[in-house]
Amino acid sequence: MATQRIIDFFKTRHSEGPCLVVDLDIIRENYLGFEKALPQSRIFYAVKANPALEILRVLASLGSCFDTASVAEIKMALEAGATPDRISYGNTIKKERDIARAHALGITLYAVDCLEEVEKIACAAPSARVFCRVLTDGIGAEWPLSRKFGCMPKIAVDVLHHANRLGLEAYGVSFHVGSQQTDPTAWDRALADAATVFKNMAKKGINLKMVNMGGGFPTRYLKDVPTAQAYGMEIFGALSRHFGNRIPETIIEPGRGMVGNAGVIRTEVVLVSRKSDNNNDNIRWVYLDIGKFNGLAETMDEAIRYPIVTPHDGSAVGPCVLAGPTCDSADVMYEKTPYQLPVLLSVGDELFILGTGAYTTTYASVAFNGFEPLRSYVI
């Protein structure tokens, strides 16, 4: 969303390369929207989506908790004003020495998905609380997160039972239905699995307390998405179906849904060319000064398709392949399904890529081909 504040900022600030501007007012609105939609769930913002200190400070002041993937992110959340009890170490892949560092910083809540990870935590963070991540199918998500993380529900029972034997607190279950999840009913299947783990653990005399329902809440790109309220209603209904009147403590981990629509990238057209003189081939190649390696990594497989605003909107359009500026043939954002952009588009035109508040600055390379990281401004 290009708010008036962002538009005014771009009018007064000019940068040599592409830049991202994030409006904190939108993030405040999003946070309050999640609070209203799921009032019984604690909100753990996924720091990896955008770790700008200004964003973390605003969320901390609103009462947010934080889902972190590394010791560096834990320190960021602490610096922003969060206390250790409001931070989880949600990455299932951790070095034992990093677990020890997190434990020394006061972190007591850790994600696991296998016996080996439990053993590392038992050694480096004795008496910590652990939750086990279960696999999901990711159906309905534009950026699925299955396979690499999680285990089958039956294995989760073994993992949590092992944690209990080693003196850890078997605290709960987590899942992630996939990033940019456009189907609000996706949580139903995952909560059914979570309830099964709860029941099987209870048979072993261990009562779990928490379900981490992950992220997946979308932001609007080219298509409308359901409201936070719609997700809240579906999720609460699924919790009631699978847990009855004994609904456990729940947490959610919005990242994209919290910051995605708060950011706009300004970019410049570097080149417009054609690859063929065939009259039947009317596809133009439009090269921008930003690409997969400068912050648009989520265009991989054309999974995330961002809205683009040009100075010629409203005029005649034609198909374009959209590519980045680097000397890498993989640096092509959209080719399989070309973008329809104005025919008048030319070198030097400034474009605005909307919905880019999440997973852009953190995906940008440090200096691939000598291009500097994506500049970011938070207003």
Side-chain angles (χ1 to χ4, degrees):
M1 179 186 299
T3 64
Q4 190 59 48
R5 280 157 48 84
I6 292 177
I7 293 168
D8 291 343
F9 182 91
F10 280 132
K11 285 179 180 177
T12 58
R13 295 289 291 269
H14 297 278
S15 59
E16 185 64 26
C19 67
L20 167 73
V21 176
V22 176
D23 189 337
L24 288 176
D25 285 351
I26 298 297
I27 294 172
R28 289 189 189 93
E29 289 176 17
N30 290 339
Y31 181 86
L32 296 175
F34 281 116
E35 262 195 339
K36 183 178 180 181
L38 287 158
Q40 303 305 317
S41 297
R42 296 175 75 196
I43 299 171
F44 280 67
Y45 169 64
V47 174
K48 60 183 174 288
N50 191 322
L53 184 57
E54 301 94 331
I55 293 173
L56 302 185
R57 281 178 174 159
V58 162
L59 290 172
S61 71
L62 291 169
S64 182
C65 301
F66 297 90
D67 164 53
T68 61
S70 64
V71 173
E73 287 191 350
I74 290 168
K75 290 179 177 177
M76 291 175 192
L78 291 170
E79 183 183 351
T83 49
D85 60 301
R86 291 164 60 186
I87 300 171
S88 74
Y89 200 160
N91 192 344
T92 59
I93 306 159
K94 305 175 286 296
K95 293 179 179 177
E96 188 172 318
R97 59 180 176 269
D98 287 337
I99 297 168
R101 288 167 181 157
H103 186 246
L105 291 169
I107 307 306
T108 62
L109 184 60
Y110 298 82
V112 296
D113 64 1
C114 63
L115 299 174
E116 293 80 2
E117 194 71 11
V118 164
E119 289 167 359
K120 286 191 285 184
I121 293 172
C123 289
S127 303
R129 297 170 296 160
V130 297
F131 56 92
C132 187
R133 181 163 172 171
V134 295
L135 285 165
T136 60
D137 55 31
I139 294 172
E142 293 184 13
W143 192 267
L145 295 170
S146 55
R147 292 187 59 78
K148 183 178 179 181
F149 311 102
C151 61
M152 296 299 291
K154 184 177 182 300
I155 300 297
V157 172
D158 296 335
V159 169
L160 290 167
H161 192 216
H162 190 51
N164 184 71
R165 285 197 303 266
L166 294 181
L168 299 172
E169 181 180 356
Y171 193 62
V173 177
S174 76
F175 56 80
H176 200 300
V177 296
S179 194
Q180 190 67 7
Q181 176 56 257
T182 56
D183 178 10
T185 68
W187 277 261
D188 181 76
R189 300 186 294 275
L191 284 167
D193 287 339
T196 298
V197 175
F198 267 62
K199 290 170 187 172
N200 288 332
M201 288 298 292
K203 291 176 183 177
K204 295 179 180 291
I206 301 169
N207 293 314
L208 302 179
K209 299 181 178 69
M210 182 271 290
V211 177
N212 177 346
M213 301 186 292
F217 304 98
T219 196
R220 188 190 185 283
Y221 293 117
L222 293 179
K223 300 175 184 176
D224 287 336
V225 294
T227 63
Q229 203 69 29
Y231 284 90
M233 290 176 62
E234 286 287 348
I235 290 170
F236 183 76
L239 280 166
S240 299
R241 278 192 298 278
H242 299 298
F243 289 93
N245 59 2
R246 301 184 67 180
I247 294 176
E249 171 192 345
T250 57
I251 68 178
I252 56 172
E253 297 175 337
R256 185 189 310 278
M258 187 75 79
V259 298
N261 66 338
V264 177
I265 285 174
R266 178 172 63 190
T267 182
E268 181 181 340
V269 176
V270 177
L271 179 66
V272 180
S273 68
R274 296 182 186 274
K275 300 294 186 186
S276 169
D277 60 3
N278 185 339
N279 290 333
N280 294 323
D281 181 6
N282 63 344
I283 303 255
R284 294 162 295 155
W285 280 68
V286 175
Y287 299 89
L288 307 179
D289 63 357
I290 189 172
K292 281 183 178 174
F293 301 100
N294 318 97
L296 300 184
E298 288 199 317
T299 60
M300 187 188 310
D301 298 326
E302 305 189 14
I304 301 299
R305 297 180 67 82
Y306 298 104
I308 297 174
V309 175
T310 83
H312 308 293
D313 285 357
S315 62
V317 299
C320 297
V321 172
L322 213 55
T326 65
C327 292
D328 192 306
S329 59
D331 194 10
V332 178
M333 286 85 79
Y334 305 114
E335 182 176 13
K336 181 173 61 178
T337 306
Y339 259 49
Q340 296 292 324
L341 293 178
V343 175
L344 295 174
L345 209 60
S346 60
V347 172
D349 281 343
E350 284 190 343
L351 310 185
F352 296 96
I353 308 176
L354 310 185
T356 44
Y359 302 109
T360 49
T361 54
T362 47
Y363 268 133
S365 67
V366 173
F368 182 56
N369 278 199
F371 293 106
E372 68 176 3
L374 179 63
R375 294 186 185 184
S376 175
Y377 304 93
V378 181
I379 61 174

